[in-house]
Amino acid sequence: MQSWTVPAPATVPAQSDRLRLMDTSTGELRHPGTEGAASLYVCGITPYDATHLGHANTYVSFDLLQRYWRACGYPVSYVQNVTDVDDPLLERAEATGVDWRELARDQTELFRTDMVALNVLAPDHYVGATETVDWVVETVSRLVQNGTAYTVPGQGEDPDGDVYFDIGAAQSATDWTLGSISGMSPEQMAEVFPERGGDPERPGKRSPLDPLLWRAARSGEPSWDGGPLGEGRPGWHIECSAIARRLLPVPFSVQGGGSDLKFPHHEFSAAHATAVDGQPLARTFVHAGMVALHGEKMSKSKGNLVLVSNLRREGADPAAIRTALLSHHYRSDWEWTEDSLPEASARLSGWRHALEREEPGDAQALVSALHGTLSDDLNAPAALVDLDRWAESTAARTGSPTAAHQELRVSAVVDALLGIRL
Ligand code: ZN
């Protein structure tokens, strides 16, 4: 699938890697295990109702991580998927009378446009589920062969041939245990599983939480030739597992996504990979917080969405949207209000004015200050305060700017580390 293009940020003097990130699976701040090279998988959108501020918050958060690594001089391998066939997409297409392929294509294009506007560096591989069915078939077939997947007999409206992951068998055969990635209790998992696409009531499953790997063809639904699995389509968690294992070195540095993906999505993507490979999928699991509107988490199902494209249409500066997002720590849950954008715009404007008073050495000092601040679990809000302080420090200056043309400039540093275009 076509990715998008964002100009490469300026190269800054190579910074030392002192990064500590909160790893969901251990609950501890730790170095993500990069040794001279970094690899990142961030779960992509299901392409409908893109791109709301919750999405934007996630992709801007992991864009910070990529920019941090680049400032350390690391090559970064970054993969993102698009879940361009799944129940919610098909339901929306059906409800609105639009072909699901057209809906997916249009919303994916809108997402790309929003990412370019928000200055989010593109993944090296941007991959659709519909492009990788063969990878899923191969992975699920191996799980069936090694006894960690099973076929559920048809019943009622469900045909023969749905394939599920066997949690119990996988726990016996591997080091993975249920909850070891998400850090959630059995009660928490049981509560959110049905809210996030799970089907605990499906008759014939060995455990209520066993997740779907392969959905046998139903009339009126798209399906693909699954070879030994029969006609059907991929489950959600196995999609990311198969794509990540194919395109990144396993275990890769960071598996990322919104905190609503901890369970079941990341728990089972990792479990599937471990059941195939006998080793962890990723070294570190990192999750971005949720954005709320009017007191409730912004979500498609609640319909309380603020879309990046609408803000842009209303004239918002994308750099101000990005500044508003980075004003909150990536792990925090926070609320978008009518003040969010004006406040961000005012700060941005202060920084832009300060550029007129930039002096030699400012950029050098800022690059090490910002990088040091970001080393502490990507503390962007504190980095923005660093920038405020710098802008304030220029206020007393008089005379014309003296920064030389060819040297590193503050605007290049802010773009390289924070992705904010001044
Ligand atoms: Zn995923």
Side-chain angles (χ1 to χ4, degrees):
M1 185 171 280
Q2 188 195 333
S3 187
W4 62 89
T5 307
V6 165
T11 305
V12 296
Q15 302 295 299
S16 60
D17 176 12
R18 303 190 301 274
L19 182 61
R20 281 152 50 89
L21 279 177
M22 176 54 72
D23 173 32
T24 302
S25 67
T26 57
E28 291 173 352
L29 282 170
R30 53 188 290 270
H31 186 265
T34 39
E35 283 163 17
S39 39
L40 173 67
Y41 187 97
V42 180
C43 292
I45 57 165
T46 300
Y48 68 104
D49 285 344
T51 312
H52 61 70
L53 286 172
H55 293 136
N57 189 52
T58 294
Y59 300 110
V60 165
S61 296
F62 290 98
D63 188 56
L64 268 190
L65 177 58
Q66 162 146 217
R67 287 170 187 272
Y68 183 95
W69 280 332
R70 283 173 171 246
C72 297
Y74 292 157
V76 182
S77 302
Y78 177 21
V79 177
Q80 187 181 135
N81 68 308
V82 186
T83 304
D84 59 353
V85 62
D86 200 11
D87 293 344
L89 173 72
L90 298 174
E91 284 160 16
R92 173 60 64 89
E94 171 96 25
T96 52
V98 179
D99 185 273
W100 65 274
R101 282 159 290 216
E102 194 181 324
L103 177 62
R105 202 165 43 237
D106 290 352
Q107 290 291 306
T108 304
E109 180 52 26
L110 185 58
F111 176 75
R112 288 190 195 97
T113 313
D114 288 333
M115 291 300 103
V116 170
L118 291 173
N119 201 22
V120 172
L121 297 171
D124 304 291
H125 298 278
Y126 191 51
V127 195
T130 57
E131 299 172 315
T132 57
V133 174
D134 288 351
W135 303 355
V136 169
V137 169
E138 185 261 344
T139 313
V140 175
S141 300
R142 287 178 60 185
L143 294 173
V144 171
Q145 281 161 15
N146 73 20
T148 54
Y150 60 98
T151 304
V152 170
Q155 189 172 329
E157 290 182 355
D158 294 317
D160 280 333
D162 289 346
V163 182
Y164 282 83
F165 185 65
D166 189 329
I167 292 173
Q171 291 190 122
S172 303
T174 70
D175 289 337
W176 171 79
T177 52
L178 184 63
S180 60
I181 306 298
S182 61
M184 289 170 75
S185 68
E187 293 74 24
Q188 288 172 314
M189 288 189 272
E191 186 183 335
V192 300
F193 187 66
E195 295 167 4
R196 297 175 185 169
D199 54 354
E201 312 276 332
R202 170 71 196 273
K205 282 169 58 167
R206 293 177 186 169
S207 158
L209 297 185
D210 284 352
L212 179 73
L213 293 167
W214 183 255
R215 179 174 163 89
R218 267 83 164 163
S219 78
E221 290 186 13
S223 62
W224 287 260
D225 175 11
L229 306 175
E231 279 278 315
R233 61 180 163 94
W236 176 32
H237 321 307
I238 193 69
E239 168 196 338
C240 287
S241 203
I243 293 171
R245 287 177 55 253
R246 182 66 70 114
L247 297 174
L248 291 173
V250 174
F252 54 90
S253 314
V254 170
Q255 161 81 77
S259 60
D260 54 349
L261 298 187
K262 287 177 190 173
F263 186 87
H265 189 53
H266 287 168
E267 183 78 46
F268 290 130
S269 288
H272 300 338
T274 303
V276 177
D277 300 324
Q279 63 171 332
L281 178 65
R283 296 181 193 279
T284 318
F285 292 80
V286 179
H287 292 99
M290 297 287 114
V291 183
L293 183 71
H294 305 140
E296 283 199 280
K297 178 194 139 184
M298 214 174 272
S299 74
K300 296 163 183 176
S301 50
K302 294 202 179 84
N304 59 340
L305 303 177
V306 176
L307 299 181
V308 171
S309 50
N310 283 349
L311 293 175
R312 289 166 49 216
R313 204 172 298 123
E314 290 159 9
D317 178 347
I321 301 173
R322 184 163 175 127
T323 299
L325 297 173
L326 293 179
S327 305
H328 302 270
H329 190 272
Y330 80 89
R331 277 197 288 123
S332 65
D333 296 328
W334 54 279
E335 182 159 348
W336 180 266
T337 70
E338 59 188 20
D339 296 329
S340 299
L341 207 46
E343 283 171 10
S345 297
R347 277 179 111 177
L348 192 56
S349 161
W351 302 331
R352 284 175 174 157
H353 279 304
L355 291 181
E356 296 163 14
R357 302 185 294 268
E358 180 177 348
E359 289 183 354
D362 282 2
Q364 282 288 351
L366 257 182
V367 76
S368 71
L370 295 176
H371 186 81
T373 301
L374 291 168
S375 297
D376 176 19
D377 201 19
L378 299 175
N379 194 345
L384 298 193
V385 171
D386 290 340
L387 208 46
D388 288 337
R389 288 207 187 103
W390 166 75
E392 283 160 23
S393 76
T394 67
R397 293 176 185 170
T398 52
S400 27
T402 51
H405 234 13
Q406 58 275 39
E407 73 179 301
L408 185 66
R409 304 298 293 261
V410 165
S411 56
V413 168
V414 172
D415 180 38
L417 294 181
L418 296 169
I420 296 172
R421 291 192 182 116
L422 294 183

